[in-house]
Each structure stands twice: as structure tokens, then as C-alpha cells.
């Protein structure tokens, strides 16, 4: 029988692997890869635009990754920068009409994937599951920042 660590690790790895595979299939339509899905859907939820710094915070990515991904999205005419007072560094990132359409499609497909992945679970099961996932994520963030305590 697998111990808790093995069960946890295998389940998280399998969820991550399958999610990235599904995201990659969806993003291939736009000649992008799975990490772009997170950027597009985050921008979709901020129609008024957000800075690259805020995008990095929301996506939990570093400045270099955000810069690289936004650059690719700009080349595909899915994102544009709107300078604030002539300053491109603090520019707002906005989806273009094509980007908004792509992000909406990705959002709808992601919602379908989550719905189908949770089939067989009650609404109460889902609520408990997401609350547990959120707490595990917070706990792991703290442990990764502070290190494991000595026993």
C-alpha cells in the first residue's frame, strides 16, 4: 500500500501532467504552449489591463518568464501594451480583440475540463477538495520559503 507521501506525490504529478497535456492541445490552435493558457486566462479576467509586474504576481512567475511570455503573445497579436504616461515599463497589458477571443475559448475549454475532471463528485466534495488544495498550496509555499523544520 502506498503511504500518504507517495499517494499525494503521484496524484499531484498526474494532475499536473494531464492538465499540461490538455492545455498544450488547446494552445496549439494558437501556436502557443500550455504555460500561455495561464497568462491568457489571467489577462482575460483583467479586461481593464494589468501591469507585467501584477501579471507575474497573479501567475506566480518571475519577471523574465513574464517578459518572455508576453513577448510571444505580442508577436501573435494577442496582447498589446498601453503605455502609461509614455512609460512602457509600467504599461498596461491588454488583450487584443483576437486575444480576447482566444482567451475566452481557452477559459471555456478549461471550465469544461475542470467540470469533467470533477464528474462523480458532489458539490460538497468539490468544495472540500478545493479548500484542501488551497490550504496544501499555502502550507507548501510556507515550507518552500522557510524550509522544513527539524524534528
Amino acid at each position: 500500500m502506498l503511504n500518504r507521501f507517495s499517494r499525494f506525490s503521484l496524484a499531484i504529478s498526474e494532475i499536473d501532467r494531464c492538465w499540461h497535456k490538455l492545455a498544450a492541445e488547446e494552445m496549439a490552435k494558437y501556436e502557443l504552449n500550455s504555460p500561455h493558457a495561464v497568462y491568457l486566462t489571467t489577462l482575460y479576467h483583467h479586461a481593464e489591463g494589468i501591469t507585467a509586474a501584477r501579471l507575474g504576481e497573479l501567475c506566480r512567475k518571475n519577471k523574465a518568464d513574464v517578459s518572455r511570455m508576453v513577448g510571444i503573445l505580442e508577436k501573435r497579436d494577442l496582447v498589446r501594451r498601453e503605455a502609461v504616461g509614455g512609460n512602457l515599463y509600467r504599461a498596461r497589458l491588454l488583450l487584443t480583440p483576437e486575444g480576447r477571443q482566444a482567451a475566452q475559448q481557452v477559459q471555456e475549454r478549461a471550465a469544461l475540463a475542470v467540470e469533467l475532471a470533477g464528474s462523480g463528485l458532489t458539490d460538497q466534495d468539490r468544495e472540500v477538495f478545493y479548500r484542501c488544495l488551497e490550504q496544501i498550496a499555502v502550507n507548501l509555499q510556507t515550507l518552500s520559503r522557510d524550509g522544513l523544520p527539524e524534528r
Side-chain angles (χ1 to χ4, degrees), residues 114-135:
V114 169
E115 179 184 330
L116 295 174
S119 65
L121 299 176
T122 66
D123 288 343
Q124 185 178 9
D125 289 340
R126 280 189 205 89
E127 183 61 36
V128 169
F129 175 71
Y130 290 126
R131 192 170 46 246
C132 290
L133 272 181
E134 289 169 3
Q135 187 61 56

Side-chain angles (χ1 to χ4, degrees), residues 15-69:
I15 289 168
D16 186 62
R17 184 186 70 79
C18 292
W19 183 256
H20 280 285
K21 182 179 185 285
L22 290 169
E25 289 172 3
E26 290 303 313
M27 298 311 295
K29 298 171 188 173
Y30 307 101
E31 298 179 15
L32 298 169
N33 53 36
S34 62
H36 292 104
V38 174
Y39 288 94
L40 278 177
T41 56
T42 302
L43 288 165
Y44 183 74
H45 292 293
H46 293 85
E48 73 285 355
I50 57 175
T51 65
R54 182 69 178 136
L55 182 61
E57 290 171 13
L58 293 170
C59 295
R60 291 185 161 82
K61 300 294 182 181
N62 65 37
K63 188 176 180 178
D65 191 69
V66 172
S67 179
R68 184 175 47 258
M69 293 296 188

Side-chain angles (χ1 to χ4, degrees), residues 71-121:
I72 293 168
L73 293 171
E74 283 181 305
K75 286 180 186 173
R76 300 284 194 289
D77 293 321
L78 299 173
V79 170
R80 67 178 173 83
R81 292 176 199 253
E82 186 176 90
V84 177
N87 186 338
L88 276 177
Y89 178 73
R90 288 191 276 150
R92 285 188 314 168
L93 301 173
L94 297 154
L95 291 172
T96 64
E98 296 83 5
R100 190 136 189 84
Q101 183 178 0
Q104 183 176 355
Q105 175 83 17
V106 169
Q107 181 70 31
E108 289 170 2
R109 299 292 291 167
L112 177 61
V114 169
E115 179 184 330
L116 295 174
S119 65
L121 299 176

